[in-house]
Amino acid sequence: MPSRRLSRIEQTADERRRAAVRTIQRLLRADGPDALVISHMPHVRYLTGFTGSNGWLLLRPGSALFMTDPRYREQASQEVRGMRTQVIFGRTFSTALQEMRLHEKIGTLGFEADHLSATIAANLKKLLRPLRVLPLSGLVEELRSVKLEDELHAIRKAIAISEAVYEDVVPLLRPGVTEIDIAAELTYRQRRLGADGDAFPPIVLFGKRSSLVHGQPTRAKLTRRSPVLIDFGCRVNGYGSDLTRTLHFGPAPRAFRSAYETVLAAQQAGCDAVQAGVPAAEIDALVRSHIAEAGLGDYFEHGLGHGIGLEMHETPLLSWRNTAPLEAGEVITIEPGVYLPGAFGIRIEDDLLVTLDGSITLSSLPRALRELA
Ligand code: ZN
Ligand code: ZN
């Protein structure tokens, strides 16, 4: 293999991957199945460094085997370090495991129940009989929620790119510009500034359409005196940013202004409450009570936030359903909103790093109501 000097960040990425693989192997040794197939691509990437679209990782207590198809032969040899790679040609990964006679070597095989299709799981079971194939849940998700140095580095960079682009795009908000125009500018400019691409298709909504929580941009044109909701992000080394700002084109009416102040105060209260050890549901409830006190409780119908990383809605989810305490090192969004159908929607979203004594707000766009002249 050609020698290549690794940067410190690449080195820590390699160390992180090796440590994560070892952690799973320890779990397997302790009380898990004899082997585990990782098939969800963000998890494969997390554990191997492989950025392609097709691959399985087979982990056993003493070994790790990465499988991919011939399209990725060269890429895998560059990206996957410190474990064996096998290129599988003309057959499925399940068949390849059968040919390796995995079922003669071990008794139980775990798979990612939340990510492997029922068809593939059934096939795996059939091919590897009498091996017991066990559905598992949440293993890598849990491991991934706490971010290490190389991951934080990437997230910070993604946020910096998104914020620079946001400031460049706001002046493009002029009468006649469309939601799609603005969305396309966000995508293009983030890419130009060094992002891998969008973290998710940007949400850009004008006027009454801002009340669509996850509305898609259309050819709707910006007119005077209308709200503008922009929710967007980009990826760097696979890790995403996720930011929302709602501004007003022209002076904001009183109802909008007062709802904005409510969301802003609620979001601040949520950010202030973030700390390792605090249950996610508690922060959700706190923010929700702020919004309910202002009489807008019925208009905040989504969760408060979510973890960000290689996926855009990952562990931990911040909602009334998640009573698990936050952990230091998790990167989360705090994004309350109110949506009044036929009138307007307002959401404010920032990205925070959970710490032992509180949090560090990684994003820095001004949050005060911005009224464009
Ligand atoms: Zn968002
Ligand atoms: Zn979000």
Side-chain angles (χ1 to χ4, degrees):
M1 212 167 116
S3 77
R4 189 164 82 92
R5 277 194 57 184
L6 301 180
S7 73
R8 189 177 55 82
I9 289 293
E10 282 177 287
Q11 268 172 20
T12 40
D14 264 352
E15 285 161 17
R16 167 179 55 74
R17 287 183 200 115
R18 276 200 295 273
V21 165
R22 277 198 302 271
T23 302
I24 296 178
Q25 287 171 327
R26 260 201 306 278
L27 292 171
L28 293 178
R29 202 168 283 129
D31 61 349
D34 301 324
L36 175 65
V37 157
I38 310 279
S39 60
H40 186 46
M41 289 318 294
H43 295 175
V44 171
R45 179 172 186 166
Y46 181 77
L47 295 166
T48 67
F50 177 67
T51 63
S53 69
N54 191 34
W56 273 15
L57 175 62
L58 176 70
L59 290 179
R60 295 172 65 184
S63 70
L65 172 67
F66 173 66
M67 298 187 286
T68 186
D69 70 69
R71 291 173 300 166
Y72 292 115
R73 187 188 300 278
E74 189 179 357
Q75 185 177 330
S77 75
Q78 291 161 356
E79 292 178 339
V80 181
R81 287 187 281 266
M83 67 175 70
R84 204 153 62 82
T85 295
Q86 192 163 334
V87 176
I88 308 296
F89 179 64
R91 57 209 199 283
T92 65
F93 296 139
S94 303
T95 312
L97 293 181
Q98 186 197 33
E99 286 168 9
M100 285 171 212
R101 315 216 64 79
L102 190 66
H103 50 290
E104 291 173 6
K105 297 172 189 157
I106 62 171
T108 50
L109 173 69
F111 70 95
E112 299 191 279
D114 299 329
H115 305 290
L116 198 68
S117 81
T119 313
I120 297 177
N123 197 36
L124 194 60
K125 218 171 264 185
K126 198 177 80 193
L127 288 171
L128 297 181
R129 222 168 258 156
L131 185 72
R132 277 179 57 223
V133 178
L134 308 172
L136 296 179
S137 218
L139 193 65
V140 187
E141 283 88 342
E142 291 294 319
L143 217 54
R144 261 177 355 110
S145 75
V146 169
K147 268 63 186 181
L148 297 186
E149 190 182 356
D150 68 295
E151 302 177 284
L152 288 173
H153 181 80
I155 292 172
R156 283 181 192 274
K157 213 165 153 188
I159 292 170
I161 289 173
S162 292
E163 295 193 328
V165 165
Y166 179 82
E167 291 300 349
D168 284 347
V169 165
V170 166
L172 306 178
L173 290 166
R174 309 301 315 164
V177 76
T178 69
E179 293 170 346
I180 286 176
D181 290 336
I182 297 298
E185 290 290 343
L186 292 166
T187 298
Y188 170 73
R189 288 166 188 250
Q190 290 188 123
R191 199 80 196 265
R192 287 291 305 264
L193 281 192
D196 309 342
D198 287 325
F200 52 90
I203 297 169
V204 178
L205 302 167
F206 297 160
K208 290 173 186 168
R209 292 177 37 76
S210 55
S211 70
L212 301 167
V213 177
H214 269 188
Q216 293 303 303
T218 63
R219 303 264 170 222
K221 288 186 170 142
L222 183 59
T223 53
R224 295 251 173 234
R225 305 184 74 85
S226 58
V228 175
L229 186 150
I230 300 179
D231 184 350
F232 73 114
C234 68
R235 286 181 196 281
V236 170
N237 289 341
Y239 288 83
S241 56
D242 186 4
L243 302 167
T244 307
R245 286 294 180 270
T246 309
L247 31 82
H248 207 277
F249 191 58
R254 205 160 47 189
F256 181 93
R257 182 180 291 273
S258 106
Y260 191 95
E261 292 309 322
T262 297
V263 175
L264 182 61
Q267 200 233 11
Q268 187 61 57
C271 292
D272 292 346
V274 170
Q275 182 173 357
V278 179
E282 201 174 298
I283 304 171
D284 181 272
L286 173 81
V287 172
R288 222 162 277 284
S289 74
H290 266 266
I291 291 177
E293 266 168 41
L296 295 170
D298 291 343
Y299 304 105
F300 174 29
E301 292 188 296
H302 57 73
L304 176 63
H306 52 87
I308 57 173
L310 288 173
E311 292 183 281
M312 288 323 290
H313 287 91
E314 59 178 58
T315 307
L317 292 183
L318 279 86
S319 83
W320 55 92
R321 283 188 294 268
N322 181 13
T323 52
L326 295 176
E327 276 188 65
E330 290 175 337
V331 178
I332 58 169
T333 69
I334 296 289
E335 50 176 309
V338 296
Y339 310 89
L340 285 77
F344 58 77
I346 295 166
R347 178 163 67 250
I348 306 172
E349 175 177 30
D350 282 283
D351 302 336
L352 286 78
L353 169 63
V354 181
T355 63
L356 287 173
D357 56 358
S359 69
I360 296 167
T361 307
L362 301 177
S363 47
S364 59
L365 290 177
R367 294 184 216 177
L369 176 58
R370 197 155 161 185
E371 291 160 293
L372 302 177

